[in-house]
Amino acid sequence: MTEADLYKRYKGVYVPADLHPPQSLKFYEDFTFRPDDILVVTYPKSGTTWTQEIVPLVVSGGDPTPVETVPNWDRVPWLEENRAMILSLEDRPSPRMFTTHFRHDMMPASYSQVKPKVIYVMRNPKDVFTSLYHYSETASFLANPGATDDFLKKFLDGQVIFGSWFDHVKSWLNAEPSDNVLYVAYEDMIKDLKGVVAEVARFLEKPLSSEATEMIAERCLFKNMKKNPMSNYSLVPAELMDQSKNPFLRKGIAGDWKNLLTAEQVEHFDAIYKEKMKDVKYKFAWD
Ligand code: A3P
């Protein structure tokens, strides 16, 4: 199916229409944060599910009950998606944990008044592209990616779900104030997961022993999350996500773009990246 069949535009970006009916977007806009809320923010395919595993484990001090009993989409629900309306989020004890795929300038009014804690996870856009390409073959609520060249053009033009990767990352890097935002790179999670868990714990002011940090990092390894039915999307029916095409936890590595993009596509990607990111001072883990 195509973008026209499956998506609608919200504030200029595509969102899957079925998951984002008008009443959910209204719910999102009217949402009231608490100062101790924790918000996981990502452009899709940047490490959302991974962070939805790490954060509840840090908050619980290493108690695995939340990640063993609640699927990730209810454990750290997307605020803009339809399920958010039926989860009685107002009744959840603090600290509540949420996810969003929206840009900084798309945050609800309450965000800038309350300034909840944000963990913004970024990933090499060539790997984001590669992961999204394969996921678009798997998820029936996403438009068919078609030829790599065609999908690449759409990705670089921001004509994919949640808009342009460049706009997303720049909006969050320029967030004002930024002292409530922790920036995390997928590549650093690959290189030093224990270090990132410790950093998240410090940011959330949840002191962890070295053993608890170690245990959380171990649970959040790709091979272990792949076995967790509450995190590997195996509870989702195949009509929605056909994991015989690609598992949701597909490869979990940095650099898989080398297996998808041709030298010419890489050159084109790099030229657009250089132009779009020329004013960005931030030192990315993948550069
Ligand atoms: P790949 O498709 O490259 O394998 P999101 O959760 O934002 O949709 O991102 C999904 C991507 O994160 C997938 O990338 C998935 O495999 C990867 N991922 C999820 N959990 C991971 C983990 N524990 N370690 C490494 N990668 C992980």
Side-chain angles (χ1 to χ4, degrees):
M1 293 225 261
T2 67
E3 288 80 0
D5 303 318
L6 295 168
Y7 300 163
K8 66 175 176 201
R9 288 214 182 260
Y10 176 68
K11 301 202 171 171
V13 305
Y14 278 142
V15 292
D18 282 357
L19 294 170
H20 303 82
Q23 57 276 30
S24 331
L25 294 167
K26 171 94 174 68
F27 176 89
Y28 170 83
E29 286 171 6
D30 294 344
F31 191 77
T32 304
F33 286 102
R34 295 180 198 152
D36 53 6
D37 284 342
I38 302 164
L39 197 53
V40 173
V41 185
T42 58
Y43 186 84
K45 313 320 287 177
S46 301
T48 323
T49 316
W50 202 354
T51 315
Q52 289 170 327
E53 197 88 349
I54 294 171
V55 169
L57 283 166
V58 168
V59 167
S60 71
D63 175 358
T65 311
V67 301
E68 283 178 351
T69 56
V70 188
N72 65 300
W73 56 84
D74 281 353
R75 194 193 307 145
V76 193
W78 277 265
L79 279 177
E80 63 270 22
E81 279 192 10
N82 49 2
R83 278 192 72 76
M85 290 184 293
I86 58 162
L87 292 173
S88 305
L89 300 179
E90 307 73 35
D91 300 336
R92 289 195 172 188
S94 290
R96 302 180 300 179
M97 296 165 275
F98 306 118
T99 303
T100 182
H101 282 321
F102 281 147
R103 288 191 316 251
H104 180 257
D105 53 290
M106 296 167 79
M107 295 308 290
S110 159
Y111 173 83
S112 49
Q113 290 149 14
V114 174
K115 300 184 196 75
K117 283 185 193 297
V118 169
I119 301 176
Y120 186 68
V121 185
M122 301 174 266
R123 185 182 190 185
N124 183 333
K126 293 205 278 271
D127 280 328
V128 170
F129 169 79
T130 304
S131 185
L132 185 60
Y133 179 85
H134 293 297
Y135 186 51
S136 301
E137 299 169 323
T138 311
S140 64
F141 49 87
L142 297 183
N144 190 310
T148 321
D149 252 345
D150 296 339
F151 194 60
L152 183 58
K153 183 171 182 341
K154 287 178 191 170
F155 183 84
L156 295 172
D157 285 349
Q159 301 305 315
V160 289
I161 48 164
F162 298 95
S164 156
W165 179 90
F166 303 100
D167 292 348
H168 203 285
V169 168
K170 286 194 274 189
S171 80
W172 279 99
L173 286 177
N174 292 331
E176 279 297 339
S178 61
D179 52 357
N180 61 324
V181 185
L182 176 71
Y183 298 99
V184 174
Y186 179 96
E187 290 72 16
D188 288 335
M189 290 155 83
I190 293 275
K191 253 191 269 163
D192 178 17
L193 188 51
K194 199 175 161 198
V196 171
V197 169
E199 200 181 354
V200 167
R202 272 194 301 277
F203 176 70
L204 297 180
E205 297 168 79
K206 293 272 168 195
L208 287 179
S209 66
S210 175
E211 296 72 41
T213 312
E214 184 96 51
M215 191 277 272
I216 293 172
E218 179 67 22
R219 277 204 78 98
C220 295
L221 287 176
F222 184 76
K223 62 174 187 197
N224 293 331
M225 275 184 62
K226 231 176 139 65
K227 288 187 276 195
N228 182 357
M230 295 295 155
S231 308
N232 64 13
Y233 283 88
S234 57
L235 299 175
V236 174
E239 303 87 76
L240 272 184
M241 235 184 243
D242 183 356
Q243 297 205 49
S244 67
K245 292 184 180 156
N246 296 288
F248 186 93
L249 282 114
R250 194 182 58 90
K251 285 202 180 170
I253 58 170
D256 191 41
W257 55 270
K258 292 175 192 144
N259 297 314
L260 180 67
L261 297 172
T262 63
E264 204 178 305
Q265 288 165 341
V266 170
E267 201 181 312
H268 178 58
F269 201 125
D270 288 347
I272 303 272
Y273 180 93
K274 202 168 163 201
E275 170 58 25
K276 298 241 190 215
M277 303 301 278
K278 64 177 187 295
D279 297 326
V280 177
K281 302 276 180 287
Y282 191 86
K283 178 82 193 84
F284 294 104
W286 55 83
D287 273 341

Coordinates of all heavy atoms in Angstrom, one line a residue, residues 65-96:
T65 N 10.4 -6.9 36.9 CA 8.9 -7.1 36.8 C 8.3 -6.2 35.7 O 7.6 -6.8 34.8 CB 8.2 -6.8 38.1 OG1 8.9 -7.5 39.2 CG2 6.8 -7.2 38.1
P66 N 8.6 -4.9 35.6 CA 8.0 -4.1 34.5 C 8.3 -4.7 33.1 O 7.4 -4.7 32.3 CB 8.5 -2.7 34.7 CG 9.2 -2.7 36.0 CD 9.5 -4.1 36.4
V67 N 9.5 -5.1 32.9 CA 9.9 -5.5 31.5 C 9.5 -6.9 31.2 O 9.5 -7.4 30.1 CB 11.4 -5.2 31.1 CG1 11.7 -3.8 31.2 CG2 12.3 -6.1 31.9
E68 N 9.1 -7.7 32.3 CA 8.7 -9.1 32.1 C 7.2 -9.2 32.0 O 6.7 -10.2 31.6 CB 9.2 -9.9 33.3 CG 10.7 -10.2 33.2 CD 11.2 -11.1 34.4 OE1 10.5 -11.2 35.4 OE2 12.4 -11.5 34.3
T69 N 6.5 -8.2 32.5 CA 5.0 -8.3 32.6 C 4.2 -7.3 31.7 O 3.1 -7.6 31.5 CB 4.6 -8.1 34.0 OG1 5.0 -6.9 34.5 CG2 5.1 -9.2 34.9
V70 N 4.9 -6.3 31.2 CA 4.1 -5.3 30.5 C 4.8 -5.0 29.1 O 6.0 -4.8 29.1 CB 4.1 -3.9 31.2 CG1 3.1 -2.9 30.6 CG2 3.7 -4.1 32.7
P71 N 4.0 -5.1 28.0 CA 4.6 -4.9 26.7 C 5.2 -3.5 26.6 O 4.6 -2.5 27.2 CB 3.5 -5.1 25.7 CG 2.3 -5.4 26.5 CD 2.6 -5.4 27.9
N72 N 6.2 -3.3 25.8 CA 6.9 -2.0 25.8 C 6.0 -0.9 25.4 O 6.1 0.3 25.9 CB 8.1 -2.0 24.9 CG 7.7 -2.3 23.4 OD1 7.1 -3.3 23.1 ND2 8.0 -1.4 22.6
W73 N 4.9 -1.1 24.6 CA 4.1 0.0 24.1 C 3.1 0.4 25.2 O 2.5 1.5 25.1 CB 3.3 -0.4 22.9 CG 2.5 -1.7 23.0 CD1 1.2 -1.8 23.5 CD2 2.9 -3.0 22.6 NE1 0.8 -3.1 23.4 CE2 1.8 -3.9 22.8 CE3 4.1 -3.5 22.0 CZ2 1.9 -5.2 22.6 CZ3 4.1 -4.9 21.7 CH2 3.0 -5.7 22.0
D74 N 2.9 -0.4 26.3 CA 2.1 0.1 27.4 C 3.0 0.5 28.6 O 2.6 1.3 29.4 CB 1.2 -1.0 27.9 CG -0.1 -1.2 27.0 OD1 -0.2 -0.3 26.1 OD2 -0.8 -2.1 27.3
R75 N 4.2 0.0 28.6 CA 5.2 0.3 29.7 C 5.7 1.7 29.6 O 5.8 2.4 30.5 CB 6.3 -0.7 29.5 CG 7.3 -0.8 30.6 CD 8.6 -1.6 30.1 NE 8.3 -2.9 29.5 CZ 9.0 -3.4 28.5 NH1 10.1 -2.7 28.0 NH2 8.8 -4.5 27.9
V76 N 6.0 2.1 28.3 CA 6.5 3.5 28.0 C 5.7 3.9 26.8 O 6.3 4.0 25.7 CB 8.0 3.5 27.8 CG1 8.6 4.9 27.8 CG2 8.8 2.6 28.8
P77 N 4.4 4.2 27.0 CA 3.5 4.4 25.8 C 3.8 5.6 25.0 O 4.3 6.6 25.5 CB 2.1 4.4 26.4 CG 2.3 4.8 27.8 CD 3.7 4.3 28.3
W78 N 3.6 5.5 23.7 CA 3.6 6.7 22.8 C 2.5 7.6 23.2 O 1.3 7.2 23.2 CB 3.5 6.3 21.4 CG 4.8 5.8 20.7 CD1 5.6 6.5 20.0 CD2 5.3 4.5 20.8 NE1 6.7 5.8 19.6 CE2 6.6 4.5 20.0 CE3 5.0 3.3 21.4 CZ2 7.3 3.4 19.9 CZ3 5.8 2.1 21.2 CH2 6.9 2.2 20.5
L79 N 2.8 8.9 23.4 CA 1.7 9.8 23.8 C 0.8 10.1 22.7 O -0.4 10.5 22.9 CB 2.3 11.1 24.4 CG 2.8 11.0 25.8 CD1 3.4 12.3 26.2 CD2 1.6 10.7 26.8
E80 N 1.3 10.1 21.5 CA 0.5 10.5 20.3 C -0.3 9.3 19.7 O -1.2 9.6 18.9 CB 1.4 11.1 19.2 CG 2.5 10.2 18.6 CD 3.8 10.2 19.3 OE1 3.8 10.6 20.5 OE2 4.8 9.8 18.7
E81 N -0.1 8.1 20.2 CA -0.8 7.0 19.6 C -2.1 6.7 20.3 O -2.3 7.1 21.5 CB 0.1 5.7 19.7 CG 1.1 5.7 18.5 CD 1.8 4.3 18.4 OE1 1.4 3.4 19.0 OE2 2.8 4.3 17.6
N82 N -3.0 6.0 19.6 CA -4.4 5.8 20.1 C -4.4 5.1 21.5 O -5.3 5.4 22.3 CB -5.3 5.1 19.1 CG -4.6 3.8 18.5 OD1 -3.5 3.5 18.9 ND2 -5.3 3.2 17.6
R83 N -3.5 4.2 21.8 CA -3.6 3.5 23.1 C -3.4 4.4 24.2 O -3.9 4.1 25.3 CB -2.5 2.4 23.1 CG -3.0 1.1 22.5 CD -2.0 -0.1 22.8 NE -2.2 -0.6 24.2 CZ -3.2 -1.3 24.6 NH1 -4.1 -1.6 23.8 NH2 -3.2 -1.7 25.8
A84 N -2.7 5.5 24.0 CA -2.5 6.5 25.2 C -3.8 6.9 25.8 O -3.9 7.1 27.0 CB -1.7 7.7 24.7
M85 N -4.9 7.0 25.0 CA -6.2 7.5 25.5 C -6.8 6.5 26.5 O -7.6 6.9 27.3 CB -7.1 7.7 24.4 CG -6.8 8.9 23.5 SD -8.0 9.1 22.2 CE -7.8 7.7 21.2
I86 N -6.5 5.2 26.4 CA -7.2 4.2 27.2 C -6.3 3.6 28.3 O -6.7 2.7 29.0 CB -7.7 3.0 26.3 CG1 -6.5 2.4 25.6 CG2 -8.8 3.5 25.3 CD1 -6.9 1.0 25.0
L87 N -5.2 4.2 28.6 CA -4.3 3.7 29.6 C -4.4 4.4 31.0 O -3.6 4.0 31.8 CB -2.8 3.7 29.1 CG -2.5 2.8 27.9 CD1 -1.1 3.1 27.4 CD2 -2.7 1.3 28.3
S88 N -5.3 5.3 31.1 CA -5.5 6.0 32.4 C -4.1 6.5 32.9 O -3.7 6.3 34.0 CB -6.1 5.1 33.5 OG -7.3 4.5 33.0
L89 N -3.5 7.3 32.0 CA -2.1 7.8 32.3 C -2.1 8.7 33.6 O -1.1 8.8 34.3 CB -1.5 8.5 31.1 CG -1.4 7.6 29.9 CD1 -0.8 8.4 28.7 CD2 -0.5 6.4 30.2
E90 N -3.2 9.4 33.8 CA -3.3 10.3 35.0 C -3.2 9.5 36.3 O -2.8 10.0 37.3 CB -4.7 11.1 35.0 CG -5.0 11.8 33.7 CD -5.5 10.9 32.6 OE1 -6.1 9.9 32.9 OE2 -5.1 11.2 31.4
D91 N -3.6 8.2 36.2 CA -3.6 7.4 37.5 C -2.2 6.7 37.7 O -2.1 6.1 38.7 CB -4.7 6.3 37.4 CG -6.1 7.0 37.3 OD1 -6.2 8.1 37.7 OD2 -7.0 6.3 36.8
R92 N -1.3 6.9 36.8 CA 0.0 6.2 37.0 C 0.8 6.9 38.0 O 0.8 8.1 38.1 CB 0.7 6.1 35.7 CG 0.1 5.2 34.7 CD 1.1 4.9 33.5 NE 0.5 3.8 32.7 CZ 1.1 3.2 31.7 NH1 2.4 3.5 31.4 NH2 0.5 2.2 31.1
P93 N 1.5 6.1 38.9 CA 2.4 6.8 39.9 C 3.6 7.4 39.2 O 4.0 7.0 38.1 CB 2.8 5.6 40.8 CG 2.6 4.4 39.9 CD 1.5 4.7 38.9
S94 N 4.1 8.4 39.8 CA 5.4 9.0 39.3 C 6.6 8.1 39.7 O 6.5 7.4 40.7 CB 5.6 10.4 40.0 OG 4.6 11.3 39.6
P95 N 7.6 8.1 38.9 CA 7.7 8.9 37.7 C 7.1 8.1 36.5 O 7.3 6.9 36.3 CB 9.2 9.0 37.4 CG 9.8 7.7 38.1 CD 8.9 7.4 39.2
R96 N 6.2 8.8 35.8 CA 5.6 8.1 34.6 C 6.6 8.2 33.4 O 7.4 9.1 33.4 CB 4.3 8.9 34.2 CG 3.3 8.9 35.3 CD 2.0 9.7 34.9 NE 2.3 11.1 34.5 CZ 1.4 11.9 34.0 NH1 0.2 11.6 33.9 NH2 1.7 13.2 33.7

